[in-house]
Amino acid sequence: MLIPPAWRPRVDASYTAPKAVLFRINPLRAPDAAAVWAGLVPLRPEPVVGVADVFRLPSSDRDTLTHHPLAADGSLYIQGIASMAAVWALDPQPGEEVLDLAAAPGGKTSLIAACMNNQGRLAAVEPVRARFFRLKANLQRLGVRNAQLYLKDGTVVGRLVPGRFDRVLLDAPCSSEAQFTRLNPASWAHWSLKKVRNSAALQSRLLRSATEALKPGGVLVYSTCSLSPEENECVLDALLRERDDLQPEALPWPVDLPALPGLTAWDGRPLHRDLVLARRVLPTEWTDTFFLCRLRKRG
Ligand code: SAM
């Protein structure tokens, strides 16, 4: 994939340098953001322009923040900005029914609950037992009260509750290319083309389930932390060819992130032209690799 030359030095450097640490203040535990800010002194977080209560610290503060009492009690949550952007793209509202189809460890689930102000119903699905219990513990710590948790394979959910949800997030399991860093060779030790292919097959099944579970008129956000078109545009293109009731939409995009439009051709093959509305966030000194697409099911 062609990274524009202007981005190249920052993207290349991101593989060898530690990243800034991003965090958000969690209103479900800390309604007074100023008190959290004061509790962080002597750390000096910089606000992220465009969004309230999201801050950035240099990488050298990561350990201090990770072990800070305000992180331990759920007043703040360390989370990549592109992960937050997946929830901003979903735009969940209080009182709605929302499905998070691949939820553990719960970073996005907890932000969805915060956007819903704990009102309405949030269903969170995770099939891996150890991850399910981590999800449960995290949501408790973060003050989430409107979530019901299901230890379940997400591929069957659409069949069980067709047309049920106002919004569905599928933050799909993937080959995790976002984790690559030259600082740690183990970060790519488990990556392979086979893993990309297997991920794409599971993503397709989960995406069909997510679409089934969505109400007519509802919003679906598909995201992965991989760059590969096979796990992103190609999976979406196959679905869009099967169904004419799904329409990609522009993403609400409150923060100026280093992102490229989705691809409309790959490997000599044309893809659905509206996939241009998807976004591929590039890895830089403050962002992680991420792919996002928002779709609406026609009413
Ligand atoms: N959304 C999470 C967050 O922000 O904290 C991260 C989700 S992670 C990218 C993908 C999750 O999907 C993993 O926890 C994985 O165990 C789970 N998963 C794997 N297979 C699944 C399936 N068949 N159905 C639902 N979830 C699955």
Side-chain angles (χ1 to χ4, degrees), residues 146-177:
N146 65 335
Q148 279 170 335
L149 273 50
Y150 300 89
L151 179 59
K152 215 169 197 40
D153 175 358
T155 61
V156 302
V157 171
R159 246 178 292 136
L160 295 176
V161 280
R164 167 91 183 237
F165 294 95
D166 298 293
R167 296 174 202 258
V168 178
L169 173 65
L170 173 55
D171 183 36
C174 66
S175 67
S176 301
E177 292 168 356

Side-chain angles (χ1 to χ4, degrees), residues 77 79 87 98-112 122-128 131-136 138-139 142 147-154 169-173 206:
Y77 188 77
Q79 188 169 37
V87 177
V98 178
L99 170 64
D100 186 348
L101 195 57
K108 297 183 193 68
T109 321
S110 64
L111 182 53
I112 294 172
L122 173 52
V125 176
E126 171 60 48
V128 180
R131 292 180 66 85
F132 175 85
F133 287 108
R134 188 158 159 228
L135 167 71
K136 193 170 173 184
N138 276 342
L139 297 187
L142 293 166
Q148 279 170 335
L149 273 50
Y150 300 89
L151 179 59
K152 215 169 197 40
D153 175 358
L169 173 65
L170 173 55
D171 183 36
L206 284 167

Side-chain angles (χ1 to χ4, degrees), residues 13 35 40 57 64 67 113 150 157 174 179-180 215 227 256 289 295:
L40 284 172
L57 280 166
T64 311
H67 299 108
Y150 300 89
V157 171
C174 66
Q179 286 173 12
F180 292 2
K215 265 185 194 163
L227 286 173
D256 187 16
T289 297
L295 304 119

Side-chain angles (χ1 to χ4, degrees), residues 33-57:
V36 177
W37 175 274
L40 284 172
V41 173
L43 299 179
R44 300 176 55 132
E46 216 180 277
V48 172
V49 176
V51 276
D53 300 337
V54 179
F55 301 91
R56 168 179 171 165
L57 280 166

Side-chain angles (χ1 to χ4, degrees), residues 30-259:
D32 181 2
V36 177
W37 175 274
L40 284 172
V41 173
L43 299 179
R44 300 176 55 132
E46 216 180 277
V48 172
V49 176
V51 276
D53 300 337
V54 179
F55 301 91
R56 168 179 171 165
L57 280 166
S59 61
S60 51
D61 287 335
R62 183 176 290 276
D63 274 357
T64 311
L65 191 68
T66 304
H67 299 108
H68 200 284
L70 289 167
D73 74 10
S75 297
L76 63 85
Y77 188 77
I78 299 172
Q79 188 169 37
I81 191 88
S83 288
M84 298 183 214
V87 177
W88 299 329
L90 189 69
D91 195 22
Q93 301 294 318
E96 289 184 334
E97 274 206 88
V98 178
L99 170 64
D100 186 348
L101 195 57
K108 297 183 193 68
T109 321
S110 64
L111 182 53
I112 294 172
C115 295
M116 297 171 79
N117 198 18
N118 263 336
Q119 289 161 29
R121 183 171 167 271
L122 173 52
V125 176
E126 171 60 48
V128 180
R129 207 174 178 81
R131 292 180 66 85
F132 175 85
F133 287 108
R134 188 158 159 228
L135 167 71
K136 193 170 173 184
N138 276 342
L139 297 187
Q140 260 163 13
R141 182 171 53 87
L142 293 166
V144 174
R145 289 196 310 273
N146 65 335
Q148 279 170 335
L149 273 50
Y150 300 89
L151 179 59
K152 215 169 197 40
D153 175 358
T155 61
V156 302
V157 171
R159 246 178 292 136
L160 295 176
V161 280
R164 167 91 183 237
F165 294 95
D166 298 293
R167 296 174 202 258
V168 178
L169 173 65
L170 173 55
D171 183 36
C174 66
S175 67
S176 301
E177 292 168 356
Q179 286 173 12
F180 292 2
T181 164
R182 297 185 86 172
L183 301 174
N184 177 13
S187 66
W188 64 82
H190 299 292
W191 185 93
S192 66
L193 282 175
K194 187 172 173 210
K195 184 154 190 185
V196 171
R197 276 195 298 273
N198 289 346
S199 297
L202 177 57
Q203 288 154 355
S204 284
R205 294 172 60 216
L206 284 167
L207 200 45
R208 279 170 184 76
S209 174
T211 309
E212 273 309 299
L214 191 64
K215 265 185 194 163
V219 169
L220 165 66
V221 169
Y222 177 77
S223 61
T224 73
C225 64
S226 280
L227 286 173
S228 65
E230 289 80 359
E231 295 180 67
N232 294 308
E233 288 93 338
C234 297
V235 171
L236 288 162
D237 178 68
L239 181 72
L240 290 166
R241 280 172 199 277
E242 267 171 33
R243 306 188 62 124
D244 58 6
D245 61 345
L246 277 182
Q247 176 60 46
E249 286 190 339
L251 291 159
W253 206 239
V255 183
D256 187 16
L257 294 177

Side-chain angles (χ1 to χ4, degrees), residues 233 236 240 247-251 259-265 271-280 291-293:
E233 288 93 338
L236 288 162
L240 290 166
Q247 176 60 46
E249 286 190 339
L251 291 159
L260 303 176
L263 300 174
T264 52
L271 301 170
H272 194 288
R273 62 176 184 199
D274 292 337
L275 287 172
V276 73
L277 297 170
R279 288 291 177 270
R280 179 175 272 98
F291 176 90
L292 288 153
C293 186

